[in-house]
Amino acid sequence: MTLTPSTLIPSGARTAFLEQAKQRILITDGAFGTEIQNFKLSEADYAGTLGLAKDQKGNNDILALTKPEVPESIHRAYFNAGADIAETNTFSANRISQADYAAEHLVREINVQSAQLARRVADEFTAKDGRPRFVAGAIGPTNKTLSLSPDVNDPGFREIDWDHLVDVYAEQVRALVEGGADFILIETVFDTLNAKAGVMSVRQVEKELGREIPIMMSMTLTDLSGRNLSGHTVEAFWYAIRHAKPLTIGLNCSFGATQLRPHVKTLSEIADTLIMVYPNAGLPNELGEYDEMPQTTAGLVKEWADHGQVNVLGGCCGSTPAHIAAMAQAVQGLAPRRTASPEVATRLAGLEPFIMAA
């Protein structure tokens, strides 16, 4: 039998999430990379006893195997700050990115362990107060792009192809779901075609398992005009991936809340699903550090909540548990955004959105 969306076992996590989102603005967690940097880990800490051929310094994902107490403590800190969602520490836990560390063969183990760790902590906090906590299996864009050539002298050249990237993502998705992730978060999307490959991988794994795997999706902008690296505007990106029926759509990374303000407004007005935004803690200073204070960030994202533009808030680069706590406090009691109900029309996307006239 060919499985279709109607024959898949529905996701209980989707139902629970939507129910919570009707009641309040939910909170996702903050940055992992900058929090890990605070531990001042040595290369030996990262490498552990795995005996890998390359230097592991900076391979944050491998800590699930070599120093799991680090990501676990970060998950706990964010839940204590008020987070409803734990994003797994697996942004680069895919075959392509792990090749830089000669750790491709550990991809499944990294993802399973990372998801299990987040699941365990989430369930522990739920057991304390009965409030549902969720785990989003994070998959990053990789360091390759399907839409653009890395060689200016050969515009048609691609380092990878569609089938390869779908296979790479599917390996990660299987492991995250096996480890207990509720959703798959396709985040920091700089190439819309890469995101579509992520969607395809989830659909493949759904068929294999016979059950629904909800998708969360988050775009990252590369300039203030509101485009990603592959050139799509926020509107065009939404029309290009709306068929995936994501649980949430939103923006993360690149900029702080101030720079994202007009683009959050735009997305909020057109998306018939939940909006999740997790900006950086402002813009980095000349040393690459983030100076924006928690209360400042919280005040900026509260403006979105005041205008009924968001359903889920959190932080990206530079954000800390203090930032998440300040956000949670700032939006407590504020009504969540009401999902947009755009008129039925044929909506297409090149680099710009196109709505076909009736």
Side-chain angles (χ1 to χ4, degrees):
M1 178 180 69
T2 300
L3 291 170
T4 66
S6 61
T7 57
L8 297 172
I9 298 172
S11 166
R14 173 190 281 273
T15 302
F17 189 86
L18 291 174
E19 183 59 35
Q20 291 296 307
K22 288 178 184 177
Q23 302 172 28
R24 58 195 170 87
I25 295 173
L26 301 180
I27 302 295
T28 189
D29 58 15
F32 247 79
T34 47
E35 286 299 292
I36 288 172
Q37 290 173 14
N38 292 334
F39 284 82
K40 310 296 183 186
L41 301 176
S42 67
E43 195 279 334
D45 290 323
Y46 283 95
T49 59
L50 296 175
L52 297 172
K54 292 186 178 180
D55 191 306
Q56 297 301 303
K57 182 76 171 180
N59 188 4
N60 292 338
D61 308 75
I62 205 104
L63 294 174
L65 307 182
T66 58
K67 216 162 182 63
E69 63 271 21
V70 171
E72 179 175 348
S73 69
I74 295 171
H75 283 311
R76 290 185 184 282
Y78 282 128
F79 278 133
N80 277 321
D84 299 286
I85 307 166
E87 300 172 20
T88 57
N89 181 37
T90 53
F91 185 81
S92 297
N94 61 76
R95 208 183 315 150
I96 293 171
S97 300
Q98 286 300 311
D100 292 343
Y101 298 100
E104 307 98 306
H105 61 292
L106 295 174
V107 163
R108 178 185 170 277
E109 189 176 356
I110 291 170
N111 283 281
V112 170
Q113 293 291 334
S114 293
Q116 288 179 339
L117 190 158
R119 178 82 273 156
R120 183 174 68 252
V121 179
D123 291 347
E124 178 185 317
F125 274 78
T126 296
K128 288 179 181 178
D129 60 13
R131 194 178 96 213
R133 302 313 199 283
F134 303 93
V135 175
I139 64 176
T142 80
N143 52 20
K144 309 295 182 186
T145 169
L146 288 173
S147 296
L148 303 170
S149 171
D151 184 354
V152 295
N153 297 312
D154 187 0
F157 175 70
R158 299 292 185 271
E159 289 184 282
I160 56 172
D161 62 27
W162 170 268
D163 290 341
H164 178 64
L165 186 55
V166 170
D167 184 57
V168 165
Y169 275 146
E171 178 183 28
Q172 187 175 10
V173 170
R174 287 186 197 98
L176 287 168
V177 172
E178 179 184 341
D182 296 306
F183 321 120
I184 295 298
L185 171 61
I186 303 172
E187 67 174 339
T188 320
V189 175
F190 63 75
D191 182 343
T192 304
L193 196 55
N194 281 32
K196 284 175 170 282
V199 171
M200 178 64 78
S201 73
V202 174
R203 296 293 179 252
Q204 285 188 359
V205 178
E206 282 182 327
K207 290 181 180 179
E208 294 169 9
L209 300 178
R211 63 185 179 92
E212 177 194 11
I213 303 170
I215 293 172
M216 294 171 146
M217 193 166 291
S218 188
M219 177 188 187
T220 190
L221 306 180
T222 54
D223 61 55
L224 291 174
S225 70
R227 296 180 185 271
N228 64 4
L229 189 64
S230 58
H232 296 87
T233 64
V234 169
E235 302 101 308
F237 177 74
W238 169 240
Y239 296 151
I241 58 87
R242 180 173 174 265
H243 66 280
K245 300 186 184 304
L247 177 63
T248 66
I249 181 71
L251 300 166
N252 77 291
C253 208
S254 297
F255 300 115
T258 299
Q259 294 77 23
L260 291 183
R261 181 183 292 118
H263 309 299
V264 172
K265 181 178 185 294
T266 296
L267 193 56
S268 175
E269 292 171 349
I270 62 174
D272 54 354
T273 192
L274 304 181
I275 299 291
M276 180 167 79
V277 188
Y278 47 117
N280 291 347
L283 296 175
N285 61 27
E286 60 275 8
L287 299 177
E289 298 173 342
Y290 293 86
D291 300 323
E292 190 170 275
M293 299 301 291
Q295 293 302 326
T296 301
T297 305
L300 292 170
V301 302
K302 181 178 181 292
E303 293 180 17
W304 300 333
D306 287 335
H307 289 89
Q309 295 173 346
V310 290
N311 302 99
V312 188
L313 286 170
C316 204
C317 302
S319 60
T320 67
H323 287 82
I324 300 307
M327 288 183 196
Q329 184 175 10
V331 302
Q332 187 174 8
L334 296 181
R337 165 185 169 271
R338 295 181 63 180
T339 303
S341 300
E343 294 182 0
V344 175
T346 300
R347 304 173 193 273
L348 308 173
L351 297 183
E352 305 282 345
F354 176 78
I355 301 176
M356 188 175 295

